Amino acid sequence: MPTSSNKLAPYYYWIVGVWLIWVIIGFAYLVNQRLVQFDPTHQLLNVPEQQLVAQVQQENNKLPRIYHLVDDSCHCTSLLEEHREQINKIATEDGFKVVDLDVSDSKIAPLIPATPAIVIVGENTQLLYVGPYATGLDCSADNSLVDVVLNNYRQGFAAPTVIDDANGCYCSR
């Protein structure tokens, strides 16, 4: 009577091992292709704050504002809809006016290295934040950079923050 053996031949382990290595390499490659540096040339650091504020301000208004800088042709814009809604809710509760700007036909386009981006201007046209919404593949609220600035503003801290060194889902301009 034949006996059955539950032992796998050693080459099966090699096949599974090689397959697993290729899957990991493929995943790492795809993730690295999607992660883009927001401002690789650090051009935001060379723009004076008042020039940046002047480019987004549509009128000389002393009210705090949030400018969502988006480009509809950027696939990353659709990933942050939920995060934008959360920011808008918090911002309107704190007295901010929310403005959407299409970067492709705006004066600020040459100053912004990638989209989606956000500019937060406090009272008396003080720059509070310029940079990406978040880091990571999905720009979600879990990796938010903006929430910290809004929380600090709510507590009375209003230091200008320029984020240029972030990796995430961005479309370079």
Side-chain angles (χ1 to χ4, degrees), residues 68-82:
H68 294 287
L69 307 177
V70 295
D71 184 352
D72 290 332
S73 64
C74 175
H75 67 280
C76 299
T77 301
S78 63
L79 296 176
L80 63 88
E81 286 304 317
E82 184 178 327

Side-chain angles (χ1 to χ4, degrees), residues 7-153:
K7 279 188 161 181
L8 291 175
Y11 64 88
Y12 286 125
Y13 292 113
W14 281 103
I15 291 172
V16 170
V18 169
W19 172 80
L20 188 59
I21 289 171
W22 278 108
V23 167
I24 292 170
I25 289 171
F27 179 75
Y29 173 77
L30 291 175
V31 166
N32 283 333
Q33 291 300 310
R34 296 256 341 242
L35 285 176
V36 176
Q37 192 171 2
F38 185 74
D39 188 3
T41 61
H42 305 289
Q43 78 182 50
L44 279 178
L45 295 177
N46 297 322
V47 178
E49 292 174 22
Q50 292 308 319
Q51 179 186 1
L52 188 65
V53 171
Q55 292 294 334
V56 294
Q57 291 280 66
Q58 296 167 340
E59 54 202 47
N60 192 2
N61 196 330
K62 296 188 188 308
L63 296 176
R65 293 178 182 249
I66 289 186
Y67 297 93
H68 294 287
L69 307 177
V70 295
D71 184 352
D72 290 332
S73 64
C74 175
H75 67 280
C76 299
T77 301
S78 63
L79 296 176
L80 63 88
E81 286 304 317
E82 184 178 327
H83 190 194
R84 276 180 64 186
E85 290 173 13
Q86 290 174 353
I87 290 169
N88 290 348
K89 182 179 180 219
I90 293 168
T92 52
E93 289 172 0
D94 290 344
F96 283 88
K97 181 173 182 197
V98 177
V99 179
D100 291 330
L101 285 178
D102 184 359
V103 176
S104 61
D105 61 332
S106 173
K107 294 178 191 174
I108 198 168
L111 304 178
I112 300 300
T115 59
I118 188 167
V119 176
I120 303 175
V121 179
E123 293 178 8
N124 300 320
T125 65
Q126 177 191 11
L127 179 68
L128 298 178
Y129 179 83
V130 61
Y133 288 81
T135 59
L137 286 174
D138 59 353
C139 287
S140 70
D142 295 337
N143 302 325
S144 180
L145 301 168
V146 177
D147 293 343
V148 174
V149 173
L150 290 175
N151 287 335
N152 287 344
Y153 184 76

